[in-house]
Amino acid sequence: MIIRIFLASLSTLFIAWAALAAEPITRFEVAEDHTRFVFAETPVHDSGMPAHGNPFVTQGYIYPAGTLTAGTDGVLADGRPAFPELVLGTWTCDGWFVGDGGEATSGVWLVSRQIMQFTSGDVVITQGTELADVGVGNIRPITGATGAFANAGDVMEQTLLGFNSHMGVQARFEIPEDDYAVQRRFFED
């Protein structure tokens, strides 16, 4: 009898876990791996930072929301994830620097495509502008998605959290419950 109760409880747990696993992750953070950031030799500013029109490609790690708190690096000096047990997937970003490029501190500084490949195999792709402003949300369209993200909606919000000690970008992403939630919050601010 005890074994049946135990097995029934275990079965219920697995069913609940499977239902949760099918739900897309709607908030997550990205830590750029500075060893994978590559940009063209030209154009660059006198400082050596990429200037308007400079193409780039980079990669990093996807973590649960709240992992990258102030002063926390998500990437080690050698490019490995700082928290390998928390990695939810891989982030790949390519695009072009615009405006003041790598010297920007405010406004649009990148036009990019970002591909979030989760360990589950699910993918989210977003394409649009990125802001140089730390802590300011930016609405980006979701241009493709698979698996649990297939019906996630049309937009997501990206917020630059800042840079880690290796000058890699750290950012938070949120897919709203409905496509208008982010827009309402954006216009209410």
Side-chain angles (χ1 to χ4, degrees):
M1 180 65 163
I2 293 175
I3 292 174
R4 278 192 214 169
I5 294 172
F6 173 75
L7 290 175
S9 298
L10 193 59
S11 175
T12 303
L13 275 172
F14 280 122
I15 291 169
W17 179 79
L20 286 174
E23 291 294 316
I25 299 164
T26 58
R27 295 183 70 228
F28 51 90
E29 295 172 349
V30 164
E32 180 182 18
D33 174 359
H34 57 284
T35 68
R36 299 225 176 246
F37 175 68
V38 180
F39 61 93
E41 292 181 18
T42 61
V44 295
H45 292 285
D46 291 340
S47 66
M49 295 298 286
H52 180 89
N54 193 308
F56 71 92
V57 64
T58 189
Q59 288 187 303
Y61 306 102
I62 304 171
Y63 287 111
T67 303
L68 304 176
T69 58
T72 302
D73 285 347
V75 180
L76 300 175
D78 65 3
R80 289 179 297 133
F83 311 104
E85 71 282 359
L86 297 178
V87 171
L88 300 175
T90 303
W91 166 82
T92 301
C93 178
D94 64 353
W96 296 267
F97 284 88
V98 295
D100 290 334
E103 293 186 348
T105 57
S106 184
V108 175
W109 70 316
L110 300 171
V111 174
S112 69
R113 172 182 55 188
Q114 299 181 35
I115 303 166
M116 291 87 164
Q117 174 80 47
F118 291 84
T119 55
S120 64
D122 298 341
V123 174
V124 175
I125 302 170
T126 179
Q127 193 161 344
T129 59
E130 294 187 48
L131 299 179
D133 306 80
V134 174
V136 177
N138 185 37
I139 300 170
R140 294 175 57 96
I142 294 174
T143 57
T146 66
F149 294 100
N151 297 312
D154 296 328
V155 298
M156 68 188 322
E157 181 178 31
Q158 176 180 347
T159 304
L160 179 63
L161 300 174
F163 298 87
N164 62 37
S165 63
H166 312 292
M167 288 305 298
V169 167
Q170 299 199 146
R172 177 172 298 123
F173 293 85
E174 181 174 352
I175 301 171
E177 290 181 29
D178 67 74
D179 290 338
Y180 301 103
V182 169
Q183 294 172 11
R184 283 192 298 272
R185 191 168 64 240
F186 179 78
F187 288 109
E188 288 172 358
D189 289 344

PDB file of all heavy atoms in Angstrom, residues 1-16:
ATOM      1  N   MET A   1       0.823  -1.194   0.000  1.00  0.00           N
ATOM      2  CA  MET A   1       0.000   0.000   0.000  1.00  0.00           C
ATOM      3  C   MET A   1       0.866   1.258   0.000  1.00  0.00           C
ATOM      4  O   MET A   1       0.607   2.183  -0.743  1.00  0.00           O
ATOM      5  CB  MET A   1      -0.939  -0.038   1.220  1.00  0.00           C
ATOM      6  CG  MET A   1      -1.834   1.149   1.316  1.00  0.00           C
ATOM      7  SD  MET A   1      -2.963   1.145  -0.076  1.00  0.00           S
ATOM      8  CE  MET A   1      -4.168   2.239   0.475  1.00  0.00           C
ATOM      9  N   ILE A   2       1.890   1.263   0.847  1.00  0.00           N
ATOM     10  CA  ILE A   2       2.783   2.420   0.922  1.00  0.00           C
ATOM     11  C   ILE A   2       3.506   2.605  -0.408  1.00  0.00           C
ATOM     12  O   ILE A   2       3.683   3.729  -0.872  1.00  0.00           O
ATOM     13  CB  ILE A   2       3.786   2.267   2.091  1.00  0.00           C
ATOM     14  CG1 ILE A   2       3.025   2.336   3.412  1.00  0.00           C
ATOM     15  CG2 ILE A   2       4.869   3.322   2.028  1.00  0.00           C
ATOM     16  CD1 ILE A   2       3.881   2.078   4.619  1.00  0.00           C
ATOM     17  N   ILE A   3       3.879   1.504  -1.034  1.00  0.00           N
ATOM     18  CA  ILE A   3       4.563   1.588  -2.320  1.00  0.00           C
ATOM     19  C   ILE A   3       3.640   2.192  -3.368  1.00  0.00           C
ATOM     20  O   ILE A   3       4.063   3.028  -4.170  1.00  0.00           O
ATOM     21  CB  ILE A   3       5.076   0.201  -2.756  1.00  0.00           C
ATOM     22  CG1 ILE A   3       6.195  -0.235  -1.810  1.00  0.00           C
ATOM     23  CG2 ILE A   3       5.566   0.224  -4.196  1.00  0.00           C
ATOM     24  CD1 ILE A   3       6.686  -1.633  -2.054  1.00  0.00           C
ATOM     25  N   ARG A   4       2.349   1.803  -3.373  1.00  0.00           N
ATOM     26  CA  ARG A   4       1.391   2.365  -4.329  1.00  0.00           C
ATOM     27  C   ARG A   4       1.227   3.864  -4.114  1.00  0.00           C
ATOM     28  O   ARG A   4       1.177   4.632  -5.081  1.00  0.00           O
ATOM     29  CB  ARG A   4       0.030   1.677  -4.186  1.00  0.00           C
ATOM     30  CG  ARG A   4      -0.041   0.396  -4.905  1.00  0.00           C
ATOM     31  CD  ARG A   4      -1.464  -0.077  -4.966  1.00  0.00           C
ATOM     32  NE  ARG A   4      -1.452  -1.530  -4.890  1.00  0.00           N
ATOM     33  CZ  ARG A   4      -2.501  -2.257  -4.713  1.00  0.00           C
ATOM     34  NH1 ARG A   4      -3.669  -1.701  -4.548  1.00  0.00           N
ATOM     35  NH2 ARG A   4      -2.395  -3.567  -4.688  1.00  0.00           N
ATOM     36  N   ILE A   5       1.115   4.292  -2.865  1.00  0.00           N
ATOM     37  CA  ILE A   5       0.990   5.730  -2.563  1.00  0.00           C
ATOM     38  C   ILE A   5       2.241   6.472  -3.027  1.00  0.00           C
ATOM     39  O   ILE A   5       2.154   7.527  -3.656  1.00  0.00           O
ATOM     40  CB  ILE A   5       0.729   5.957  -1.060  1.00  0.00           C
ATOM     41  CG1 ILE A   5      -0.646   5.396  -0.680  1.00  0.00           C
ATOM     42  CG2 ILE A   5       0.838   7.440  -0.703  1.00  0.00           C
ATOM     43  CD1 ILE A   5      -0.923   5.381   0.804  1.00  0.00           C
ATOM     44  N   PHE A   6       3.403   5.885  -2.748  1.00  0.00           N
ATOM     45  CA  PHE A   6       4.660   6.493  -3.161  1.00  0.00           C
ATOM     46  C   PHE A   6       4.725   6.622  -4.685  1.00  0.00           C
ATOM     47  O   PHE A   6       5.075   7.668  -5.226  1.00  0.00           O
ATOM     48  CB  PHE A   6       5.851   5.682  -2.632  1.00  0.00           C
ATOM     49  CG  PHE A   6       7.167   6.169  -3.160  1.00  0.00           C
ATOM     50  CD1 PHE A   6       7.744   7.337  -2.673  1.00  0.00           C
ATOM     51  CD2 PHE A   6       7.831   5.474  -4.163  1.00  0.00           C
ATOM     52  CE1 PHE A   6       8.947   7.797  -3.166  1.00  0.00           C
ATOM     53  CE2 PHE A   6       9.038   5.919  -4.662  1.00  0.00           C
ATOM     54  CZ  PHE A   6       9.604   7.092  -4.164  1.00  0.00           C
ATOM     55  N   LEU A   7       4.368   5.535  -5.399  1.00  0.00           N
ATOM     56  CA  LEU A   7       4.405   5.562  -6.857  1.00  0.00           C
ATOM     57  C   LEU A   7       3.389   6.545  -7.430  1.00  0.00           C
ATOM     58  O   LEU A   7       3.672   7.246  -8.414  1.00  0.00           O
ATOM     59  CB  LEU A   7       4.182   4.159  -7.422  1.00  0.00           C
ATOM     60  CG  LEU A   7       5.327   3.157  -7.188  1.00  0.00           C
ATOM     61  CD1 LEU A   7       4.929   1.769  -7.693  1.00  0.00           C
ATOM     62  CD2 LEU A   7       6.597   3.635  -7.858  1.00  0.00           C
ATOM     63  N   ALA A   8       2.207   6.613  -6.821  1.00  0.00           N
ATOM     64  CA  ALA A   8       1.190   7.570  -7.279  1.00  0.00           C
ATOM     65  C   ALA A   8       1.680   9.002  -7.071  1.00  0.00           C
ATOM     66  O   ALA A   8       1.510   9.872  -7.943  1.00  0.00           O
ATOM     67  CB  ALA A   8      -0.119   7.343  -6.549  1.00  0.00           C
ATOM     68  N   SER A   9       2.307   9.252  -5.927  1.00  0.00           N
ATOM     69  CA  SER A   9       2.850  10.589  -5.651  1.00  0.00           C
ATOM     70  C   SER A   9       3.957  10.931  -6.634  1.00  0.00           C
ATOM     71  O   SER A   9       4.020  12.043  -7.160  1.00  0.00           O
ATOM     72  CB  SER A   9       3.401  10.673  -4.225  1.00  0.00           C
ATOM     73  OG  SER A   9       2.371  10.459  -3.301  1.00  0.00           O
ATOM     74  N   LEU A  10       4.819   9.979  -6.884  1.00  0.00           N
ATOM     75  CA  LEU A  10       5.914  10.179  -7.820  1.00  0.00           C
ATOM     76  C   LEU A  10       5.384  10.434  -9.225  1.00  0.00           C
ATOM     77  O   LEU A  10       5.865  11.327  -9.931  1.00  0.00           O
ATOM     78  CB  LEU A  10       6.825   8.948  -7.798  1.00  0.00           C
ATOM     79  CG  LEU A  10       8.176   9.083  -8.467  1.00  0.00           C
ATOM     80  CD1 LEU A  10       8.976  10.214  -7.826  1.00  0.00           C
ATOM     81  CD2 LEU A  10       8.936   7.776  -8.347  1.00  0.00           C
ATOM     82  N   SER A  11       4.385   9.703  -9.613  1.00  0.00           N
ATOM     83  CA  SER A  11       3.763   9.884 -10.925  1.00  0.00           C
ATOM     84  C   SER A  11       3.166  11.276 -11.050  1.00  0.00           C
ATOM     85  O   SER A  11       3.308  11.938 -12.076  1.00  0.00           O
ATOM     86  CB  SER A  11       2.695   8.815 -11.134  1.00  0.00           C
ATOM     87  OG  SER A  11       2.013   9.033 -12.335  1.00  0.00           O
ATOM     88  N   THR A  12       2.490  11.732 -10.007  1.00  0.00           N
ATOM     89  CA  THR A  12       1.907  13.077 -10.002  1.00  0.00           C
ATOM     90  C   THR A  12       2.986  14.138 -10.141  1.00  0.00           C
ATOM     91  O   THR A  12       2.825  15.109 -10.885  1.00  0.00           O
ATOM     92  CB  THR A  12       1.093  13.307  -8.709  1.00  0.00           C
ATOM     93  OG1 THR A  12       0.093  12.290  -8.622  1.00  0.00           O
ATOM     94  CG2 THR A  12       0.441  14.672  -8.700  1.00  0.00           C
ATOM     95  N   LEU A  13       4.090  13.946  -9.443  1.00  0.00           N
ATOM     96  CA  LEU A  13       5.208  14.889  -9.552  1.00  0.00           C
ATOM     97  C   LEU A  13       5.755  14.945 -10.971  1.00  0.00           C
ATOM     98  O   LEU A  13       6.039  16.021 -11.492  1.00  0.00           O
ATOM     99  CB  LEU A  13       6.329  14.509  -8.591  1.00  0.00           C
ATOM    100  CG  LEU A  13       6.214  15.008  -7.171  1.00  0.00           C
ATOM    101  CD1 LEU A  13       7.299  14.385  -6.307  1.00  0.00           C
ATOM    102  CD2 LEU A  13       6.313  16.514  -7.138  1.00  0.00           C
ATOM    103  N   PHE A  14       5.929  13.805 -11.603  1.00  0.00           N
ATOM    104  CA  PHE A  14       6.451  13.773 -12.965  1.00  0.00           C
ATOM    105  C   PHE A  14       5.485  14.433 -13.943  1.00  0.00           C
ATOM    106  O   PHE A  14       5.909  15.149 -14.847  1.00  0.00           O
ATOM    107  CB  PHE A  14       6.752  12.342 -13.410  1.00  0.00           C
ATOM    108  CG  PHE A  14       8.051  11.819 -12.889  1.00  0.00           C
ATOM    109  CD1 PHE A  14       8.084  10.678 -12.134  1.00  0.00           C
ATOM    110  CD2 PHE A  14       9.245  12.488 -13.147  1.00  0.00           C
ATOM    111  CE1 PHE A  14       9.287  10.186 -11.639  1.00  0.00           C
ATOM    112  CE2 PHE A  14      10.454  12.009 -12.662  1.00  0.00           C
ATOM    113  CZ  PHE A  14      10.474  10.857 -11.900  1.00  0.00           C
ATOM    114  N   ILE A  15       4.199  14.216 -13.769  1.00  0.00           N
ATOM    115  CA  ILE A  15       3.201  14.856 -14.639  1.00  0.00           C
ATOM    116  C   ILE A  15       3.248  16.367 -14.466  1.00  0.00           C
ATOM    117  O   ILE A  15       3.248  17.122 -15.441  1.00  0.00           O
ATOM    118  CB  ILE A  15       1.784  14.293 -14.367  1.00  0.00           C
ATOM    119  CG1 ILE A  15       1.716  12.835 -14.837  1.00  0.00           C
ATOM    120  CG2 ILE A  15       0.716  15.137 -15.046  1.00  0.00           C
ATOM    121  CD1 ILE A  15       0.474  12.103 -14.385  1.00  0.00           C
ATOM    122  N   ALA A  16       3.310  16.834 -13.224  1.00  0.00           N
ATOM    123  CA  ALA A  16       3.393  18.277 -12.969  1.00  0.00           C
ATOM    124  C   ALA A  16       4.678  18.846 -13.536  1.00  0.00           C
ATOM    125  O   ALA A  16       4.681  19.912 -14.157  1.00  0.00           O
ATOM    126  CB  ALA A  16       3.313  18.554 -11.470  1.00  0.00           C
TER     127      ALA A  16
END
